[in-house]
């Protein structure tokens, strides 16, 4: 289990590095380089729109790779998805800007972002299921949380490289070539991830299946459509909170509040680091007290904290912004630490790779794709404190709270050992 968990964590970290480095670049530099004819706000919105395309592609990736996972095994999904995402990310770093090739530049950006999302849509399901289906039932939440640490590691890697470049290069150098370096680095990381995953064993639960679903998506749509919609709605708040903190706030604070990108990257990275460190603890609590109670607590915490978070962000003070981000991400991790065990337990094994991944990635469309766009548009119409953004995020949290309330508990019941016979 430690070797398997480490390989799953490394793989998700690499794939999310690829995904997050684009989000950071979209917030900082892609608007002026690829949409120079737009106003600054419109250029940021257009860059966030290409960012959102990755989320739209993720459910399609979960269908494609979920079919492979349910028909041919979880292991092939890990290799193919990592290869696709890595190649697309390296290619983003090679795309000429608008000044060089005109409208072909944003079109290429859009296509490559779509391929990134397609690969990531398959990654999560394969990595989580391979870990969850190997893990002992009583510790499934804890072991399954290791792939969930991967996004935090990937984010810190992506933003750490951006922070280093931002601190050492001039604005002109960063815009000319510095932003491309993190994308090129993805090739080295992808090669390392493929090596780590080359010796993983197939899931025992998959090997035990006597009959595999012929068309997993058809079974999921026919038999589990309500469950898919509920899980998508339930997970929307996690994506909304995470990308409000890591993507929208970065653009808002640097453009509207005049905070330096180095300070913002440092504040966000510190909060994400704490979030990553707390993930196993929250997962352990899920094994002990149940998946659903933690998810409900995380949603309630998010709903209560969005207005204070926006107020703290609007001060522009690093420590206060960090506090706002930290509490929001603690609420986030309370939910998402147990999701890797919760979602697979909701679906039967024959369609688990497709069902869990489709529900997870549809939540990404609802929460992740829309939030930076909606928040940027709403903040543009607000004063210094964008209360409309807080209201939007609170509404998403309440929607997710209602969806989680309709889902069942899945934590395996521990059976007490029988009393020893007495003479």
């Amino acid at each position: 289990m430690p070797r398997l968990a480490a390989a799953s964590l490394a793989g998700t970290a690499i794939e999310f590095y690829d995904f997050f480095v684009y989000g950071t670049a979209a917030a900082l530099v892609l608007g002026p380089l690829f949409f120079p004819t737009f106003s600054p706000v419109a250029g940021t919105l257009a860059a966030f729109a290409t960012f959102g395309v990755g989320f739209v592609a993720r459910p399609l990736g979960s269908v494609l790779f979920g079919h492979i996972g349910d028909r041919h095994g979880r292991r092939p999904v890990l290799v193919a998805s990592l290869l696709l995402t890595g190649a697309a990310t390296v290619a983003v770093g090679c795309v000429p800007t608008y000044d060089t090739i005109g409208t072909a530049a944003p079109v290429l950006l859009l296509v490559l972002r779509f391929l990134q999302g397609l690969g990531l849509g398959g990654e999560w399901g394969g990595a989580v299921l391979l870990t969850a289906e190997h893990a002992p039932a009583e510790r499934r939440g804890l072991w399954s949380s290791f792939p969930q640490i991967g996004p935090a590691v990937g984010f810190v890697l992506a933003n750490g490289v951006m922070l280093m470049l931002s601190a050492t290069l001039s604005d002109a150098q960063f815009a000319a070539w510095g932003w491309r370096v993190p994308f090129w680095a993805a090739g080295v990381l992808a090669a390392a991830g493929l090596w780590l995953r080359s010796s993983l064993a197939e899931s025992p639960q998959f090997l035990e299946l006597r009959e595999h679903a012929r068309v997993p998506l058809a079974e999921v749509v026919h038999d589990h459509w309500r469950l898919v919609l509920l899980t998508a709605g339930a997970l929307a708040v996690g994506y909304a909170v995470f990308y409000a903190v890591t993507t929208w706030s970065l653009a808002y604070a640097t453009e509207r509040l005049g905070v330096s990108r180095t300070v913002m990257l440092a504040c966000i990275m510190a909060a994400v680091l704490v979030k990553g460190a707390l993930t196993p603890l929250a997962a352990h609590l899920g094994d002990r007290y149940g998946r659903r109670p933690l998810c409900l607590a995380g949603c309630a915490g998010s709903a209560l904290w969005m207005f204070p978070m926006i107020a703290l962000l609007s001060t522009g003070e690093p420590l206060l912004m960090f506090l706002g981000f930290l509490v929001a991400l603690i609420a986030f991790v309370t939910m998402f630490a147990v999701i890797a065990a919760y979602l697979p337990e909701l679906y039967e094994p024959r369609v688990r790779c497709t069902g869990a991944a489709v529900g997870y990635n549809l939540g990404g469309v609802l929460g992740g794709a829309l939030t930076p766009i909606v928040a940027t548009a709403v903040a543009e119409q607000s004063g210094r404190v964008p209360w409309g953004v807080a209201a939007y995020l609170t509404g998403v949290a309440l929607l997710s709270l209602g969806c989680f309330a309709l889902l069942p508990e899945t934590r395996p019941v521990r059976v007490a050992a029988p009393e020893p016979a007495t003479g």
Side-chain angles (χ1 to χ4, degrees), residues 29-38 46 92 94-109 175-176 179-180:
V29 75
L30 294 186
L33 293 178
F34 288 87
F35 305 96
T37 59
F38 292 13
V92 169
C94 300
V95 176
T97 62
Y98 184 93
D99 289 342
T100 304
I101 59 172
T103 55
V107 171
L108 284 173
L109 209 59
W179 69 272
R180 298 181 183 274

Side-chain angles (χ1 to χ4, degrees), residues 396-423:
V396 176
L398 293 175
L399 168 68
S400 295
L401 185 66
C403 291
F404 273 124
L406 295 173
L407 290 172
E409 178 56 74
T410 62
R411 179 173 62 105
V413 178
R414 295 182 181 180
V415 180
E419 293 292 333
T422 57

